[in-house]
Amino acid sequence: MEVLDLLQPSVPGSPIAMAGDGVLGRIGSMETRIAETAAEIDAAQSIRYRVFVEEMQARLPEDAMRAKRDFDRWDDICDHLLVIDRKIEGEPEDQIVGTYRLLRHEVAMEHGGFYSDSEFQTAGLVARRPEVRFMELGRSCVLPDYRSKRTVELLWQGNWAYALKHDIGVMFGCASFHGTDPAAHAMALSFLYHNARATGDWSVAAHPELAVDMNLMPAEDASGRRALTGLPPLIKGYLRLGAMVGEGAVIDHAFNTTDVLIVLPITSISDRYLNYYGADAGRFAS
């Protein structure tokens, strides 16, 4: 089957069915919005391949490797947030420099749950909080030349405007450390375990058969600047916004990563960051 065949919308709420939603954020020549065509989603999958496979040594199924695209069955039901640089010549799909994959609560429930369910016990978390609607974030990647504060701001402005538009109460998803040896990230994983672990009704753990202990060092040895330096920028950004992490990491051999689960209730995001990242989101969310 050709890649484009995999991208045809089959259910309400698929990316192409949402065409016309418009821009969710704009800074200078760059803007963020939901993908509107199969060609744009194909371009996003190409960027994902370049980052995950060519840069980070992921190993995808054979059909994806041949097509040089990162794609799976979830792409049909997710919305694809794009960062676009209008200064780049060409068609819109040629201007895509970053992407995030978004899965809304009701769409996930119609199709058997969230992507993260395969690694973490998120179904229990969702069931315990029936008063809020969840949104899963995944497949975040940006081309090397665009890994800047401006691009991060646009991604978060897009996520926030999208969350407002769809009345989302919690953002969550897997975030990764590069490589499959947890010991290489012992200090950072221990820092997360001791300082950012979700508790109470927000607690969520890796599936027992997949779980890797994150408590690799005493709290007093996993603190300070050295521990923070060992955190990937994406995870560090989530923590600044007020995120928590689940208990236990999971090794993803296909993507050559060690995954942790991020849980970010909207009510936990500090006013300082809401004002910064979401200042313009209200006018883009209508």
Side-chain angles (χ1 to χ4, degrees):
M1 182 179 289
E2 295 294 329
V3 173
L4 289 182
D5 292 334
L6 294 170
L7 299 174
Q8 297 307 311
S10 56
V11 296
S14 65
I16 298 173
M18 291 185 64
D21 272 9
V23 174
L24 295 174
R26 183 179 288 116
I27 301 175
S29 67
M30 297 172 64
E31 65 185 38
T32 184
R33 63 171 172 79
I34 297 298
E36 297 176 348
T37 67
E40 290 180 350
I41 300 172
D42 180 68
Q45 292 172 327
S46 176
I47 288 176
R48 283 158 40 182
Y49 180 91
R50 290 162 63 184
V51 172
F52 299 143
V53 176
E54 295 179 356
E55 183 178 344
M56 301 183 67
Q57 296 84 50
R59 186 67 190 175
L60 306 178
E62 290 185 6
D63 53 349
M65 296 296 285
R66 285 195 302 270
K68 294 190 175 182
R69 300 291 188 274
D70 168 40
F71 62 87
D72 59 25
R73 67 182 183 87
W74 299 90
D75 284 322
D76 277 342
I77 65 172
C78 290
D79 289 326
H80 299 260
L81 185 69
L82 309 175
V83 173
I84 296 168
D85 187 353
R86 292 299 185 189
K87 289 192 301 186
I88 299 174
E89 294 184 2
E91 299 298 320
E93 56 267 26
D94 300 320
Q95 301 172 329
I96 298 170
V97 300
T99 184
Y100 236 127
R101 193 166 75 174
L102 312 179
L103 180 57
R104 285 178 285 125
H105 192 134
E106 63 274 14
V107 178
M109 295 302 100
E110 289 171 3
H111 294 87
F114 289 100
Y115 176 84
S116 300
D117 291 347
S118 63
E119 294 188 349
F120 296 90
Q121 300 177 65
T122 55
L125 170 64
V126 172
R128 287 198 306 274
R129 305 304 303 246
E131 76 281 7
V132 294
R133 299 174 70 241
F134 286 73
M135 177 175 81
E136 185 177 54
L137 311 177
R139 288 301 203 274
S140 171
C141 62
V142 175
L143 292 178
D145 289 346
Y146 284 86
R147 290 173 191 167
S148 65
K149 182 179 178 182
R150 171 177 288 194
T151 308
V152 172
E153 288 175 2
L154 267 177
L155 284 170
W156 272 107
Q157 191 176 72
N159 282 334
W160 181 241
Y162 185 95
L164 289 177
K165 183 180 183 69
H166 294 287
D167 192 27
I168 299 300
V170 183
M171 302 182 196
F172 79 106
C174 295
S176 303
F177 292 82
H178 186 53
T180 57
D181 180 11
H185 307 289
M187 183 175 291
L189 289 171
S190 299
F191 174 86
L192 294 176
Y193 176 87
H194 293 298
N195 297 282
R197 195 157 28 112
T199 59
D201 282 349
W202 293 115
S203 64
V204 57
H207 289 294
E209 68 276 13
L210 301 176
V212 173
D213 192 6
M214 295 169 62
N215 184 15
L216 303 175
M217 298 177 65
E220 58 270 20
D221 295 334
S223 61
R225 186 175 298 275
R226 283 186 61 204
L228 291 173
T229 301
L231 291 171
L234 183 63
I235 295 178
K236 200 179 299 183
Y238 283 134
L239 294 182
R240 289 194 186 107
L241 289 169
M244 303 170 283
V245 298
E247 182 159 352
V250 174
I251 305 302
D252 186 337
H253 291 283
F255 275 84
N256 191 31
T257 58
T258 300
D259 298 342
V260 297
L261 187 74
I262 301 293
V263 181
L264 179 58
I266 297 300
T267 54
S268 295
I269 303 177
S270 71
D271 290 341
R272 179 163 65 101
Y273 285 103
L274 282 184
N275 292 336
Y276 187 73
Y277 285 112
D280 293 328
R283 67 187 178 94
F284 288 115
S286 59

